[in-house]
Amino acid sequence: MSCHIKKLNHLIFGCYSVVKVFSGEMIVPLKKNGPVILLTDFGTHDAYAGILRGVIAGINPEARVIDLTHGIEPQNIRQGAFILYCAYVWYPENSIFCTVVDPGVGSDRKAICIKTRDYFFVGPDNGVFWEAASANGIEQIIQLENPDFFLSC
């Protein structure tokens, strides 16, 4: 499992986050730190969902973390996208949806952050965010590519 939690940390806890974007940099101002919403296909019969929460707590013990679900069928991007689309509107502005539903985990698939009018979506560039993000008005899409912000197991 490879997580992009340190980059997520900068989105949550900094007043500004400077991230490399394709050919330049972008500054993302946050008005208020929102909760981190987890949506994964990890299940709950092993330690992976808890480890993800532990990594976030290790970065910042004051982070508010909410489990939307860890019950997405393994690698079922359509199901993950549907659940996210149905649920995101019920969360406060500046919520950060950390989603890990990806048949290509561990591959060269790029990680992205999508900034919409009201939210941030962080996870794989595999289409899982499209319905929710486009419905809320995509403002920017960035590729997370700074190796200093990736954890490896």
Side-chain angles (χ1 to χ4, degrees):
M1 174 174 64
S2 177
C3 303
H4 313 290
I5 302 302
K6 283 191 176 181
K7 176 53 68 185
L8 183 61
N9 174 48
H10 283 270
L11 290 171
I12 299 168
F13 307 114
C15 293
Y16 295 93
S17 175
V18 179
V19 291
K20 187 173 182 184
V21 185
F22 307 111
S23 62
E25 292 185 342
M26 172 180 74
I27 297 177
V28 179
L30 291 180
K31 297 175 185 171
K32 178 182 176 188
N33 295 340
V36 179
I37 316 302
L38 303 178
L39 185 150
T40 76
D41 61 358
F42 293 170
T44 57
H45 294 4
D46 55 32
Y48 293 117
I51 290 169
L52 180 57
R53 290 175 129 277
V55 169
I56 294 169
I59 292 168
N60 187 330
E62 297 177 21
R64 295 177 293 150
V65 180
I66 300 170
D67 297 295
L68 174 54
T69 185
H70 298 290
I72 302 299
E73 294 174 7
Q75 305 173 350
N76 190 332
I77 295 169
R78 286 184 179 180
Q79 183 187 24
F82 177 75
I83 296 296
L84 184 60
Y85 176 74
C86 291
Y88 83 93
V89 296
W90 301 106
Y91 289 89
E93 283 187 18
N94 290 314
S95 290
I96 300 163
F97 293 89
C98 179
T99 300
V100 184
V101 178
D102 188 17
V105 168
S107 73
D108 290 336
R109 186 184 318 280
K110 302 300 182 190
I112 60 173
C113 176
I114 302 174
K115 181 185 182 306
T116 66
R117 182 176 53 250
D118 301 311
Y119 305 103
F120 294 89
F121 298 88
V122 178
D125 184 10
N126 66 5
V128 71
F129 299 122
W130 180 250
E131 293 298 326
S134 60
N136 192 246
I138 295 172
E139 294 182 354
Q140 293 177 305
I141 301 174
I142 61 170
Q143 182 176 320
L144 304 180
E145 49 189 21
N146 186 335
D148 294 338
F149 298 125
F150 286 73
L151 302 177
S152 59
C153 299

